[in-house]
Amino acid sequence: MASTEVYRYVFELGISPKHKGFHYICEVLDSINNCAPSLFDIEVAFTAVSLKFGIGRHSMERNMRYAVQFAWNTQESSLQALISEAARKGLRISPNGSTMGGMPGLAGSAGAYRILNRGRPPSLAEFICSAAWGLPDWIEQCGRMQRDRRELRML
């Protein structure tokens, strides 16, 4: 089961838990967040999650794509901001969605392409890489906010 932080992060991106894809996305991001960056591979994560839920891989991917597209069309703010920031920072993913390098989404191969904010919903690979890229900063920010609240209560 994915961690609470991952569930909150995906929810804040505008993905609704009423969609099956929400839970699959949370599991994929949690598995990516818990692995070494050099071992990050979307294909492996997708396969592991589809086996865990006992669902076909294509069906799982379709559910995730639908959840992302629904969030994009109804509540663009957080998701749009994430994709815009990833594009601005030059986040790169390899054409097959697997990435290698120091951080998820930062592929060192010549075949990598930039995530471009073209005003359309991101592909599933673009979304997963962007979300995995933004997750550690979000968790750190939440930790700082919780520490600040505790300090204020002590005053």
Side-chain angles (χ1 to χ4, degrees):
M1 182 163 176
S3 67
T4 306
E5 291 94 6
V6 174
Y7 277 107
R8 285 180 45 217
Y9 174 66
V10 173
F11 183 74
E12 284 194 16
L13 288 176
I15 311 260
S16 173
K18 73 178 183 178
H19 299 291
K20 291 179 189 177
F22 172 86
H23 303 285
Y24 304 146
I25 289 168
C26 290
E27 288 295 329
V28 168
L29 288 176
D30 195 50
S31 67
I32 290 169
N33 194 40
N34 292 328
C35 79
S38 61
L39 301 176
F40 170 70
D41 188 348
I42 287 179
E43 299 298 319
V44 172
F46 282 5
T47 302
V49 171
S50 69
L51 290 173
K52 178 179 180 177
F53 282 95
I55 186 171
R57 172 126 181 243
H58 295 290
S59 178
M60 182 190 77
E61 288 183 30
R62 182 178 60 245
N63 287 324
M64 291 192 301
R65 277 193 309 271
Y66 179 78
V68 170
Q69 188 168 9
F70 187 85
W72 184 272
N73 291 335
T74 58
Q75 193 175 13
E76 288 185 17
S77 59
S78 300
L79 188 53
Q80 180 75 27
L82 173 73
I83 299 299
S84 295
E85 182 68 11
R88 190 177 69 73
K89 298 248 176 148
L91 188 67
R92 295 180 181 273
I93 63 173
S94 61
N96 66 356
S98 63
T99 60
M100 292 169 219
M103 163 129 351
L106 298 176
S109 67
Y113 64 92
R114 269 182 92 163
I115 293 179
L116 299 175
N117 184 19
R118 297 178 287 269
R120 57 145 182 85
S123 71
L124 189 55
E126 287 175 332
F127 169 75
I128 294 294
C129 288
S130 299
W133 170 76
L135 181 59
D137 289 339
W138 185 87
I139 290 174
E140 182 181 321
Q141 181 182 6
C142 285
R144 280 196 306 261
M145 288 175 16
Q146 287 175 349
R147 282 192 302 274
D148 292 346
R149 284 187 200 134
R150 272 183 265 153
E151 289 173 5
L152 284 175
R153 277 189 241 151
M154 294 178 138
L155 295 177

